[in-house]
């Protein structure tokens, strides 16, 4: 039993970081579900939100900084919707995707221009020293980071709230209509622009939460933007339109990565985490082109 | 009225099929080639050759590679950097371990190896499209990054991880001055452009464009999507691999795996978008733009009296690139190449507005 | 609903037209097609003879396009089989249908919007081009000769369909009627034995319809191409088709000559509705 200790630790750690990936993936799913746009800039939004929060918190009390950051993210959402999405309504998905790549670069540069490009520490008041669980079963206990637990709890709550939102409210239904067909939704009177504003703002808030979680773990710095790249395999596994899928995908990727590193890593030189998630996603795609939970696309001729 | 076609009649289909149909175009390309082959080598200084023209030409080649896949065949790839890396390391290892082979053969084989890997990573495109495919190509990118970093065989077990290219010895003639390196790159660029243009206007190019425009309709014509897509991946990766060899051997000299990271892939993507998707000319225009812009950003503020830190310049670059991408996609999705075409159209009609 | 369009003096009656109608070219037997719970086709059987013009008509949603898609290889029926030139086909992909000699146009034009008229029609010749990769890349040998040869062939079709003036125009810029003509040209470029036309005259005015009718008849008479077309305009159907298939709610309603079908009470009921008391 004791030999399972390290394994359990690895798995738990992986699951926790998986939840963090899922948090970022959630933002993607939100926007895609509601507008059919794959927002490559989600990672940049995570970075921007985290940067704004951390720097504002240097002068303002934390709750105020938090609220102000939400306002800022809403403004960012508005700008993206107005300047990028609206002119591109009805265009091919690829075009929109590439536009969000442009937004990514812009936000990255802009964020660092305004807030600076150093590494900033984000202190959320969560105890940094790890907890040791189940010390009776395993010698030394299983090491668990409180930050990860906190993030998992937040993510869980967020997922629940968003799922309810999408399925049970009028706005949620409208969002699903928009994701299906922009122009059809417009023609039944759904205010496209306002919907998108709501969605992108929500994604911005999700980005903020993700930014807080990752920022306290890694420190707020440019590499946060690259977390988005890690979220992509999560989305593949979970399917782009499924909120629970994003969570499951995150867990699989998180745990899978750490396990692969643990078992295979030492024999091939380490650093498996670099590509494991991607190759896993690729393998899944070959078997199920719509991801594990995604919707099957039937093409009508 | 300089650009009129009046009086120029094409009397055979062969003439109509020519790459440059109008006499003005033929004169134009002759002038450009003359400048490139004669004018520049004589008058350009070393800095211009080494730091601007050589990277421009090599990146133009890589951009042509990506354009064939993305612009002509409609398959998105975010992993072009990986194929450049594969070409570079393949050529390096071939030159190292099989020194008997002439360097040009190394280049060719490296391209073929990159093409083979390209086909493997292109297989997913048969089942998945759009952004799912983009993610799959990222798999290639990250896997290549890791392989060249962590599998020491590729870098000949050097402790630092960086390798040095052998001298550019082409059958006895060694290219070691900036001018000679420029000629090497120019030759490859012209060759690539010609071959790409030929492919694009022939059967295989049309099958690529058919897949891009409507793959369902392409099937009913008799085009096999598998053949078309995989051939696009193969050719694109071959060209990217070749560009990678040039980048490593001619431009960098010594390099480490990071030289071909995802940054490179994004740079090439921007070149293709800004320059014009589905246009050989566009690849050159985009490459020129992306090569010159950072230099401009470095020098221009100084000229106007503003001092910017290097970090600031890099941030500005990001912002400008990002906004330009969005602007071009909104305003002219066919990029600079289309603007050029529109300009020519206006010249045909000038002084009439339409 | 029946459309009433009066065309110019009708073409000569069928009996007088020089057309040799031969043996069965394509036969569908007991085809049933379902999408989830929706039955698109139920137990449909009919045949198409070599050299004839076969019309497939029926109210909207009757399954006509689905039938063409099945013949083409896009949809695979759950039951039934298709006999092409006497041989039964199992699951066939569209590009195999193309190789087998079946060409098709679509209701919502399926042209390659990024290419010119000429290039679009040239794609129809792809199956006839054999040049190797190197020959194409260097524009040598077969790479060059094939391009010129096929260009000449395509130009004859362009002349035939009177679209020479737009050959270098990107098809996205063409008006609807011309796009339909280009799509027909592309299908003809494949030199098909069987040409499937899905509402080739939809959205056209009288003049355009006359032109299209003339082209279809010419294709059938000059090249001997067998044609199956879905059409809503009854006068067109009466005029140019040899035999008619009527579908309704995925079922076969009638099968015969235009006169037989026109007088069939079931057909009349389907189109005009049964009189309610």
């Amino acid at each position: 039993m004791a030999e399972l200790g390290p394994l359990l630790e690895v798995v738990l750690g992986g699951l926790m970081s998986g939840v963090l990936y899922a948090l970022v993936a959630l933002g993607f799913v939100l926007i895609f579900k509601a507008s059919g746009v794959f927002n490559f800039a989600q990672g940049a939004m995570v970075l921007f939100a985290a940067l704004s929060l951390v720097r504002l918190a240097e002068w303002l009390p934390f709750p105020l900084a938090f609220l102000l950051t939400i306002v800022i993210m809403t403004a960012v959402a508005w700008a993206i919707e107005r300047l990028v999405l609206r002119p591109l309504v009805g265009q091919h998905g690829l075009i929109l995707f590439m536009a969000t790549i442009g937004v990514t670069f812009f936000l990255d540069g802009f964020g660092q221009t305004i807030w600076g490009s150093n590494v900033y520490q984000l202190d959320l008041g969560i105890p940094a020293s790890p907890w040791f669980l189940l010390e009776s079963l395993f010698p030394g206990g299983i090491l668990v980071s409180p930050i990860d637990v906190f993030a998992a709890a937040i993510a869980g709550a967020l997922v629940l709230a968003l799922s309810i939102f999408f399925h049970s409210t009028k706005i949620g239904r409208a969002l699903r209509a928009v994701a299906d067909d922009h122009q059809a939704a417009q023609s039944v009177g759904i205010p496209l622009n306002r919907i998108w504003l709501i969605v992108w703002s929500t994604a911005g808030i999700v980005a903020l939460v993700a930014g807080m979680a990752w920022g306290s773990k890694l420190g707020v710095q440019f590499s946060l933007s690259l977390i988005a790249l890690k979220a992509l395999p999560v989305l593949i596994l979970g399917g782009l339109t499924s909120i629970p899928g994003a969570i499951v995908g995150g867990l699989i990727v998180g745990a899978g990565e750490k396990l692969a590193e643990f078992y295979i890593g030492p024999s091939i030189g380490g650093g498996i985490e670099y590509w494991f998630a991607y190759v896993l996603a690729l393998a899944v795609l070959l078997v199920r082109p719509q991801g594990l939970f995604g919707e099957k696309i039937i093409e009508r001729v | 009225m300089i650009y009129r076609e009046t009086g120029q009649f094409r009397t055979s289909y062969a003439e109509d099929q020519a790459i440059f149909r109008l006499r003005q175009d033929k004169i134009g390309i002759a002038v450009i080639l003359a400048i490139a082959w004669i004018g520049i080598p004589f008058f350009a200084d070393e800095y211009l050759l080494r730091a601007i023209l050589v990277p421009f030409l090599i990146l133009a080649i890589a951009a042509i590679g990506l354009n064939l896949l993305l612009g002509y065949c409609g398959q998105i790839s975010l992993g072009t950097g990986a194929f450049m890396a594969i070409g570079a390391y393949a050529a390096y290892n071939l030159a190292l371990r099989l020194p008997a082979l002439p360097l040009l053969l190394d280049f060719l084989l490296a391209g073929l190896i990159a093409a083979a890997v390209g086909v493997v990573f292109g297989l997913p495109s048969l089942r998945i499209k759009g952004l799912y495919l983009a993610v799959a190509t990222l798999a290639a990118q990250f896997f290549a990054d890791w392989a060249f970093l962590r599998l020491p065989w590729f870098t000949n077990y050097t402790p630092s991880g960086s390798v040095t290219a052998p001298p550019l010895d082409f059958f006895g003639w060694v290219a070691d001055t900036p001018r000679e390196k420029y000629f090497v790159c120019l030759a490859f660029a012209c060759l690539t452009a010609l071959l790409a243009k030929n492919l694009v206007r022939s059967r295989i190019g049309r099958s690529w464009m058919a897949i891009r425009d409507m793959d369902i309709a392409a099937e009913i014509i008799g085009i096999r999507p598998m053949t078309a897509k995989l051939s696009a991946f193969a050719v694109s990766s071959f060209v990217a691999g070749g560009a990678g060899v040039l980048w490593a051997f001619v431009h960098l000299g010594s390099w480490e795996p990071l030289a071909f990271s995802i940054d490179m892939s994004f740079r090439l993507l921007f070149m293709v978008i800004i320059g014009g998707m589905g246009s050989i000319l566009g690849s050159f225009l985009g490459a020129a733009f992306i090569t010159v812009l950072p230099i401009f950003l470095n020098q221009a503020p100084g000229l106007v009296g503003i001092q910017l830190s290097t970090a600031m310049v890099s941030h500005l670059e990001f912002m400008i690139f990002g906004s330009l991408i969005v602007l071009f996609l909104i305003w002219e999705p066919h990029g600079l190449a289309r603007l050029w075409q529109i300009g020519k159209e206006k010249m045909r009609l000038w002084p009439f507005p339409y | 609903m029946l459309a009433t369009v009066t065309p110019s003096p009708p073409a000569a009656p069928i009996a007088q037209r020089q057309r040799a109608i031969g043996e069965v070219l394509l036969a569908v037997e007991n085809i049933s097609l379902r999408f989830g719970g929706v039955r698109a086709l139920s137990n449909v059987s009919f045949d198409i003879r070599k050299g004839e013009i076969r019309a497939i008509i029926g109210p909207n949603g009757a399954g006509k396009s689905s039938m063409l898609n099945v013949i083409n290889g896009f949809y695979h029926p759950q039951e039934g089989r298709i006999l092409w030139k006497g041989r039964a086909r199992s699951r066939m992909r569209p590009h195999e249908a193309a190789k087998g000699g079946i060409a098709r146009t679509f209701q919502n034009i399926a042209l390659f919007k990024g290419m010119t008229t000429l290039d679009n029609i040239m794609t129809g010749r792809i199956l006839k081009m054999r040049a190797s990769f190197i020959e194409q890349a260097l524009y040598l040998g077969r790479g060059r000769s094939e391009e010129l040869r096929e260009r000449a062939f395509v130009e004859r079709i362009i002349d035939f369909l009177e679209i020479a003036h737009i050959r270098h125009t990107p098809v996205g810029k063409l008006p609807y009627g011309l796009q339909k003509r280009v799509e027909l040209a592309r299908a003809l470029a494949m030199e098909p034995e069987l040409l499937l036309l899905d509402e080739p005259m939809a959205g056209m005015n009288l003049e355009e319809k006359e032109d299209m009718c003339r082209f279809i008849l010419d294709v059938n008479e000059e090249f001997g191409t067998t044609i199956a077309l879905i059409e809503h305009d009854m006068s067109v159907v009466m005029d140019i088709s040899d035999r008619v298939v009527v579908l309704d709610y995925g079922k076969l309603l009638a099968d015969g000559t235009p006169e037989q079908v026109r007088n069939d009470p079931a057909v009349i009921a389907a189109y005009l509705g049964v009189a309610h008391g």
Side-chain angles (χ1 to χ4, degrees):
Chain A
M1 188 61 168
E3 318 81 60
L4 284 180
L7 176 62
L8 212 53
E9 214 172 85
V10 166
V11 169
L12 265 178
L15 288 176
M16 296 293 187
S17 71
V19 169
L20 290 185
Y21 287 142
L23 256 185
V24 180
L26 259 182
F28 281 101
V29 170
L30 267 181
I31 294 186
F32 192 79
K33 231 171 135 67
S35 64
V37 174
F38 188 85
N39 176 28
F40 196 80
Q42 188 68 21
M45 282 165 67
V46 168
L47 173 65
F48 194 80
L51 268 178
S52 311
L53 180 64
V54 120
R55 298 287 268 144
L56 286 175
E58 285 173 14
W59 309 320
L60 304 170
F62 191 82
L64 201 56
F66 186 76
L67 284 171
L68 197 53
T69 310
I70 294 187
V71 171
I72 292 179
M73 291 315 289
T74 310
V76 168
W78 180 86
I80 294 180
E81 191 277 314
R82 188 76 176 68
L83 300 173
V84 177
L85 289 188
R86 219 183 280 186
L88 289 174
V89 157
Q91 287 272 16
H92 205 242
L94 200 61
I95 305 269
L96 285 163
F97 173 60
M98 293 195 283
T100 58
I101 296 185
V103 171
T104 306
F105 271 73
F106 183 83
L107 261 187
D108 278 346
F110 187 60
Q112 288 178 80
T113 307
I114 298 189
W115 303 120
S117 42
N118 298 322
V119 182
Y120 301 101
Q121 289 309 324
L122 181 60
D123 182 6
L124 292 177
I126 305 168
S129 44
W131 296 337
F132 293 92
L133 306 176
L134 300 173
E135 286 188 89
S136 48
L137 282 175
F138 305 97
I142 310 275
L143 199 123
V144 157
S145 154
I147 296 181
D148 288 343
V149 174
F150 171 73
I154 296 285
L158 208 54
V159 165
L160 204 57
L162 287 172
S163 299
I164 297 178
F165 179 62
F166 262 97
H167 275 275
S168 318
T169 65
K170 190 173 81 174
I171 297 189
R173 265 198 302 280
L175 289 175
R176 282 186 281 151
V178 167
D180 234 6
D181 188 332
H182 297 177
Q183 289 166 320
Q186 259 180 324
S187 64
V188 298
I190 295 181
L192 214 57
N193 302 322
R194 196 141 31 100
I195 293 286
W196 280 356
L197 186 54
I198 295 176
V199 168
W200 280 75
S201 307
T202 315
I205 297 177
V206 170
L208 175 55
V209 173
M212 279 165 57
W214 279 102
S216 20
K217 203 168 139 97
L218 298 178
V220 175
Q221 51 174 314
F222 179 64
S223 63
L224 275 190
S225 183
L226 303 177
I227 303 281
L229 290 175
K230 256 310 165 54
L232 296 181
V234 170
L235 289 165
I236 303 291
L237 284 176
L240 279 169
T241 48
S242 163
I243 293 184
I247 303 293
V248 173
L251 292 175
I252 296 178
V253 165
E257 256 185 2
K258 293 282 191 299
L259 281 173
E261 184 68 48
F262 188 66
Y263 282 115
I264 318 176
S267 36
I268 328 187
I272 302 267
E273 294 183 355
Y274 218 46
W275 51 263
F276 180 78
Y278 279 91
V279 175
L280 183 62
L282 189 54
V284 168
L285 277 179
L286 291 177
V287 174
R288 264 181 79 92
Q290 69 270 32
L292 285 178
F293 294 90
E295 291 151 5
K296 205 161 181 156
I297 312 160
I298 301 183
E299 297 204 56
R300 264 221 79 164
V301 181
Chain B
M1 291 283 202
I2 321 164
Y3 201 61
R4 273 180 312 170
E5 357 185 324
T6 318
Q8 296 183 40
F9 294 107
R10 291 174 279 285
T11 53
S12 73
Y13 295 135
E15 279 180 36
D16 203 36
Q17 307 270 63
I19 297 180
F20 298 103
R21 298 209 304 252
L22 299 183
R23 199 186 319 124
Q24 290 91 336
D25 281 339
K26 292 186 190 168
I27 298 177
I29 191 69
V31 167
I32 292 178
L33 285 176
I35 296 177
W37 283 93
I38 307 172
I40 287 183
F42 266 110
F43 294 108
D45 66 1
E46 215 186 82
Y47 173 74
L48 188 67
L49 288 172
R50 185 173 41 83
I52 300 184
L53 290 173
V54 161
F56 156 65
L57 287 172
I58 302 177
L59 290 178
I61 296 176
I64 289 177
L66 179 58
N67 217 336
L68 289 177
L69 184 60
L70 175 60
Y72 286 97
C73 195
Q75 309 298 311
I76 187 161
S77 168
L78 294 178
T80 323
F83 295 109
M84 288 178 75
I86 292 174
Y89 281 103
Y92 170 75
N93 278 287
L94 283 169
L96 184 71
R97 295 162 203 279
L98 301 173
L101 295 178
L103 195 63
L104 267 181
L105 194 57
D106 290 337
F107 281 24
L108 185 64
L109 288 174
L112 290 175
I113 294 175
V117 178
V119 168
V120 170
F121 277 98
L123 283 170
S125 74
L126 302 179
R127 291 209 76 188
I128 57 185
K129 295 186 184 179
L131 31 100
Y132 287 107
L133 184 61
V135 176
T137 57
L138 277 180
Q141 175 72 52
F142 290 128
F143 189 79
D145 280 353
W146 170 83
F148 295 126
L149 197 59
R150 298 295 185 114
L151 301 180
W153 184 86
F154 289 117
T155 49
N156 202 25
Y157 301 96
T158 51
S160 63
S162 89
V163 296
T164 307
L168 295 168
D169 184 341
F170 297 106
F171 302 111
W173 175 72
V174 180
D176 49 9
T177 69
R179 183 162 298 133
E180 289 167 350
K181 290 183 179 179
Y182 166 76
F183 274 124
V184 170
C185 296
L186 184 61
F188 276 110
C190 291
L191 188 63
T192 310
L194 182 63
L195 293 182
K197 189 70 182 173
N198 279 337
L199 281 178
V200 148
R201 65 199 179 114
S202 65
R203 174 190 101 230
I204 205 176
R206 277 194 289 269
S207 67
W208 289 343
M209 291 193 275
I211 294 283
R212 173 196 68 193
D213 286 341
M214 197 182 281
D215 50 359
I216 300 178
E219 267 206 271
I220 59 162
I221 305 286
I223 297 174
R224 314 191 73 215
M226 181 174 81
T227 319
K229 288 183 188 178
L230 290 183
S231 64
F233 269 98
V235 174
S236 166
S237 311
F238 177 85
V239 173
V245 180
L246 289 175
W247 188 255
F249 280 37
V250 178
H251 179 56
L252 293 177
S254 310
W255 73 96
E256 74 279 325
L258 274 182
F260 299 106
S261 71
I262 195 168
D263 281 322
M264 177 65 90
S265 300
F266 276 122
R267 259 174 113 185
L268 290 172
L269 186 66
F270 292 162
M271 284 180 211
V272 168
I273 297 178
I274 293 181
M277 292 190 276
S279 159
I280 305 291
L281 171 66
S283 314
F284 281 96
L285 293 176
F289 189 85
I290 301 274
T291 310
V292 163
L293 186 66
I295 300 176
F296 177 75
L297 281 180
N298 252 308
Q299 315 286 6
L303 295 172
V304 194
I306 314 172
Q307 281 304 340
L308 294 172
S309 65
T310 11
M312 194 59 198
V313 168
S314 141
H315 298 326
L316 264 182
E317 235 183 83
F318 270 38
M319 283 168 64
I320 294 186
F321 276 160
S323 356
L324 277 175
I325 295 283
V326 173
L327 274 172
F328 266 99
L329 286 173
I330 294 177
W331 176 46
E332 184 47 81
H334 296 280
L336 294 171
R338 174 59 60 91
L339 291 180
W340 171 252
Q341 239 185 356
I342 295 178
K344 288 209 299 190
E345 281 295 311
K346 295 253 186 268
M347 282 239 288
R348 280 180 66 199
L349 303 168
W350 185 81
F352 302 110
Y354 55 83
Chain C
M1 291 307 289
L2 295 175
T4 46
V5 173
T6 327
S8 53
I14 296 170
Q16 294 174 12
R17 273 182 261 178
Q18 316 281 65
R19 270 215 298 269
I21 295 184
E23 71 292 347
V24 171
L25 186 61
L26 177 94
V28 301
E29 293 178 0
N30 307 111
I31 296 283
S32 287
L33 180 69
R34 280 187 303 278
F35 297 112
V38 178
R39 299 181 140 272
L41 296 167
S42 302
N43 210 12
V44 175
S45 306
F46 63 90
D47 61 35
I48 303 178
R49 291 179 175 278
K50 193 164 159 55
E52 75 172 340
I53 298 182
R54 195 83 146 103
I56 304 177
I57 66 176
N60 280 321
K64 312 188 290 292
S65 288
S66 302
M67 190 71 243
L68 286 194
N69 283 339
V70 165
I71 296 177
N72 221 161
F74 270 124
Y75 296 155
H76 299 292
Q78 277 78 19
E79 284 141 33
R81 62 180 194 159
I82 301 178
L83 292 149
W84 169 247
K85 296 199 240 184
R87 284 205 322 272
R89 288 170 13 189
S90 50
R91 302 179 85 77
M92 186 149 110
R93 298 239 46 181
H95 66 252
E96 291 166 18
K99 258 200 222 150
I102 303 179
R104 145 153 213 194
T105 68
F106 287 85
Q107 207 172 344
N108 308 315
I109 303 176
L111 286 175
F112 304 122
K113 294 277 162 67
M115 298 200 250
T116 62
T117 300
L118 183 61
D119 278 332
N120 264 279
I121 307 175
M122 286 285 271
T123 63
R125 300 298 295 166
I126 270 182
L127 285 175
K128 317 280 182 199
M129 296 174 82
R130 292 264 161 272
S132 72
F133 180 81
I134 302 282
E135 286 171 309
Q136 290 176 65
L138 298 174
Y139 202 57
L140 288 181
R142 282 186 305 180
R144 187 163 194 275
S145 61
E146 266 181 4
E147 280 289 312
L148 294 173
R149 180 192 78 204
E150 298 310 335
R151 171 77 190 263
F153 183 91
V154 162
E155 286 287 339
R156 295 208 318 268
I157 297 181
I158 290 180
D159 275 338
F160 177 68
L161 288 179
E162 298 165 12
I163 43 180
H165 57 296
I166 48 160
R167 62 157 85 77
H168 285 306
T169 315
V171 295
K173 295 207 171 114
L174 293 174
Y176 185 78
L178 280 178
Q179 285 190 13
K180 279 221 169 260
R181 222 188 280 182
V182 174
E183 214 195 352
L184 179 62
R186 188 182 65 183
L188 290 179
M190 292 167 66
E191 290 180 280
E193 292 189 51
L194 174 62
L195 183 56
L196 305 172
L197 302 173
D198 197 340
E199 300 203 33
M201 295 174 227
M204 287 188 177
N205 62 31
L206 179 53
E207 206 181 293
E208 290 171 328
K209 278 196 193 193
E210 284 176 11
D211 284 339
M212 195 53 113
C213 270
R214 179 162 49 91
F215 290 135
I216 292 177
L217 282 172
D218 283 345
V219 165
N220 176 259
E221 281 173 20
E222 284 187 36
F223 304 131
T225 314
T226 311
I227 297 181
L229 78 152
I230 297 178
E231 185 46 55
H232 276 299
D233 186 336
M234 292 311 290
S235 54
V236 167
V237 170
M238 293 300 139
D239 241 11
I240 70 173
S241 48
D242 295 309
R243 287 192 301 156
V244 180
V245 167
V246 186
L247 296 178
D248 190 21
Y249 288 112
K251 297 200 195 56
L252 185 79
L253 209 56
D255 182 354
T257 66
E259 278 71 41
Q260 289 170 336
V261 160
R262 169 198 254 157
N263 297 320
D264 187 319
V267 174
I268 297 176
Y271 267 100
L272 299 178
V274 180
H276 286 103

